[in-house]
Amino acid sequence: GENVEQHPSTLSVQEGDSAVIKCTYSDSASNYFPWYKQELGKRPQLIIDIRSNVGEKKDQRIAVTLNKTAKHFSLHITETQPEDSAVYFCAAVPSGSARQLTFGSGTQLTVLP
Amino acid sequence: DGGITQSPKYLFRKEGQNVTLSCEQNLNHDAMYWYRQDPGQGLRLIYYSQIVNDFQKGDIAEGYSVSREKKESFPLTVTSAQKNPTAFYLCASSIDRGRAGNEQFFGPGTRLTVL
């Protein structure tokens, strides 16, 4: 089955700096890669996703890049703010699945004021 | 956010007891999912259902059971066979557009503690 690895597990940045979280996946046929943000005590919420026919997608301060050849994708947050502090999860949809997601282990992002 | 609900928010159980976690959605979604979340391990899939009266095991189904008698409901039973049931349980749902990869909407979760 699919295996998703996520790094780093914790990340601290100064407010205004950029943050980058990286994920690798094992199934080359995976074709959907969402990112979820989970604030403390709350439910995960989708912040951005990318499909395999696209190399990059951007939404204001958030962007995701996908390298299908290397089987990795990354989340980029620019001009970080304290409210960006949360746990971020990447995920992938493996081939032949009934659309269930395989999640990475999460990154605790802390934005220092 | 209000489209998918879980109850109760906190649940305490004695060892050896079965307990059922509720998940309801009014989003008219076809697919529903149960995940378990442990610190530092992300979300792991327990069971999922794409259609009423059908469900499939996920990666960690042992010690759990589900039913899908109605489209809007997908209850999870944690049985006494689950060796380490203390965890945060998340239910999710998604629309099935016939292709892989649709946004999953999560419920607020149930925190289960076995005493």
Side-chain angles (χ1 to χ4, degrees):
Chain A
E2 176 68 279
N3 182 48
V4 177
E5 294 192 357
Q6 183 172 346
H7 300 281
S9 57
T10 61
L11 178 61
S12 293
V13 299
Q14 290 294 134
E15 182 176 357
D17 287 350
S18 296
V20 180
I21 302 170
K22 298 181 179 180
C23 289
T24 60
Y25 60 98
S26 59
D27 189 336
S28 58
S30 289
N31 59 5
Y32 176 64
F33 307 92
W35 285 89
Y36 284 82
K37 174 184 180 181
Q38 186 178 27
E39 297 178 15
L40 188 63
K42 296 190 176 180
R43 70 190 80 190
Q45 292 192 306
L46 181 75
I47 56 171
I48 196 167
D49 57 11
I50 192 168
R51 298 190 186 275
S52 58
N53 58 346
V54 175
E56 182 175 0
K57 184 176 179 180
K58 192 172 182 179
D59 182 4
Q60 298 183 350
R61 296 187 297 108
I62 295 172
V64 57
T65 58
L66 171 64
N67 183 327
K68 287 184 61 179
T69 302
K71 290 189 287 186
H72 68 69
F73 56 112
S74 300
L75 177 71
H76 304 254
I77 305 174
T78 60
E79 301 172 18
T80 53
Q81 301 167 5
E83 52 264 38
D84 293 329
S85 296
V87 179
Y88 292 81
F89 293 98
C90 63
V93 177
S95 63
S97 73
R99 302 150 184 88
Q100 72 267 28
L101 298 170
T102 299
F103 283 87
S105 55
T107 296
Q108 172 68 63
L109 173 64
T110 303
V111 179
L112 304 169
Chain B
D1 279 2
I4 180 165
T5 59
Q6 292 182 241
S7 62
K9 187 173 182 179
Y10 298 97
L11 188 57
F12 297 89
R13 180 197 106 173
K14 293 182 180 179
E15 278 193 31
Q17 291 181 336
N18 293 355
V19 62
T20 297
L21 282 58
S22 169
C23 178
E24 304 277 333
Q25 53 98 2
N26 62 4
L27 301 168
N28 199 33
H29 285 172
D30 299 294
M32 297 187 74
Y33 313 81
W34 274 105
Y35 294 92
R36 171 180 172 141
Q37 186 173 26
D38 295 284
Q41 293 194 42
L43 283 71
R44 292 182 290 167
L45 183 66
I46 305 172
Y47 269 97
Y48 64 97
S49 168
Q50 290 179 272
I51 195 170
V52 174
N53 292 322
D54 185 56
F55 48 83
Q56 305 295 329
K57 292 182 179 180
D59 299 321
I60 55 166
E62 186 176 351
Y64 300 97
S65 66
V66 294
S67 63
R68 186 86 187 275
E69 296 178 0
K70 299 185 296 182
K71 186 176 184 178
E72 57 271 20
S73 179
F74 191 41
L76 173 75
T77 297
V78 185
T79 75
S80 57
Q82 170 49 234
K83 300 301 181 187
N84 185 23
T86 295
F88 188 51
Y89 291 87
L90 285 160
C91 178
S93 69
S94 68
I95 195 166
D96 187 347
R97 294 194 181 98
R99 63 174 183 174
N102 295 304
E103 178 180 359
Q104 291 189 15
F105 293 83
F106 285 85
T110 292
R111 188 165 298 280
L112 173 64
T113 302
V114 175
L115 304 173

